[in-house]
Amino acid sequence: MPEPLTEADRSHPAGVDMDELIARAASILVRARTLVVLTGAGVSKESGIPTFREAQTGLWARYDPQELATRQAFRRDPELVWRWYQFRRSLVAAARPNPAHRALAELERFLPRVIVLTQNIDGFHQAAGSSDVVELHGSIGRSRCFADCRGEPTLIDLAALPGGDAVPPRCPYCHDYLRPDVVWFGEPLPQAALQRAWLVSAQCDVMMVVGTSGVVYPAAALPRIAREAGNAVVEVNPEPGGITPLADVFLQGPAGTVLPILVRMLGGLSES
Ligand code: BJW
């Protein structure tokens, strides 16, 4: 069950009542034939997955994720980077989609077309039931050859490899290292995913942006594309960020609280 809104959730910088803002967002969404939802790490925070830019804890507290998520870091210390991703795989394996993921999946009951563009690599949108998910930054569930020796990407099923102690494991074809199939800084996004994201951002009626700081490109440029094409932008985030100045409605609060209320309200409007 989602938590009820607290007094802090309800207070909005502009002094506008939060229920009124959610109602305004619902009345925008209910008219959408195509809704595009751009998500970031904040959506999975209430599942217990740390966001990218908040302080890391435990073993990894002394590492900056931005310095581990690069080809250079992997070349310099493949074991360290692989172990970091193994740690994060274990977090994802132990976690579940939260009310925010489920509310986004539920939108498909009320709107003709909902496309989720996610920067997250945890697969929780699909697990919650969203049927059209574009993974912009890959998936932590897949591994591939660092050299992509059989073409881009050379995906390797870890479970099918003979057991061994190598960290990282080796590619069965060329014996280079395996790496997670995610997009590191300085690497291009998967072309088909990026092209589709670009297109649907321009062609949708409404874009909803949830739980991203809006600092990593090209994903951070998508709300501007939507806006410049004349589409409405709704944002859900506990903190204002790079996207907020573009938003027609900014719903300040945790996604796991705000989205279930929004979807309930939308359901009421679409039935009336
Ligand atoms: C809540 C919440 C709750 C908390 N509810 N919300 C143009 C200008 C400047 C720089 C560039 C540019 N174009 C490209 C660049 C360089 C670079 C870049 O953007 N750098 C910036 C940092 C300046 N971009 C790239 O390198 C990209 N590649 C590229 O452009 O290639 C071009 C190329 C073409 C041809 C050949 C070669 C190259 C690649 C970017 C890849 C990003 N990868 C990562 C790692 C993925 C794997 C992994 O997870 O390990 O993706 S980095 C990291 O940031 C991760 C995230 O997906 C991404 C975005 O972060 P996100 O999701 O916004 O998380 P946070 O932590 O920043 O924010 C969390 C938010 O949640 C906050 O707002 C909170 O308030 C909120 N929140 N609790 C809702 N309960």
Side-chain angles (χ1 to χ4, degrees), residues 119-187:
Q119 299 169 82
N120 298 344
I121 58 174
D122 54 36
F124 285 169
H125 288 300
Q126 295 92 324
S130 285
S131 63
D132 193 354
V133 181
V134 178
E135 291 179 325
L136 294 169
H137 292 166
S139 168
I140 200 167
R142 297 189 297 264
S143 299
R144 69 178 217 249
C145 170
F146 186 62
D148 276 332
C149 66
R150 301 255 163 139
E152 246 178 77
T154 300
L155 296 177
I156 306 292
D157 181 2
L158 278 187
L161 288 181
D165 297 335
V167 179
R170 298 287 185 155
C171 171
Y173 306 120
C174 71
H175 301 288
D176 203 334
Y177 292 121
L178 296 188
R179 56 164 287 180
D181 184 30
V182 299
V183 182
W184 285 329
F185 285 113
E187 294 187 317

Side-chain angles (χ1 to χ4, degrees), residues 39-57 91-92 95-101 118 120 122 124-125 210-212 237-239 253-257:
T39 68
V43 173
S44 294
K45 178 156 177 196
E46 290 157 84
S47 294
I49 309 293
T51 66
F52 216 77
R53 285 171 184 79
E54 72 189 350
Q56 305 292 295
T57 52
L91 291 183
V92 170
R96 294 288 169 268
N98 67 54
H101 300 103
T118 189
N120 298 344
D122 54 36
F124 285 169
H125 288 300
V210 188
T212 178
N237 199 308
E239 303 295 334
T257 302

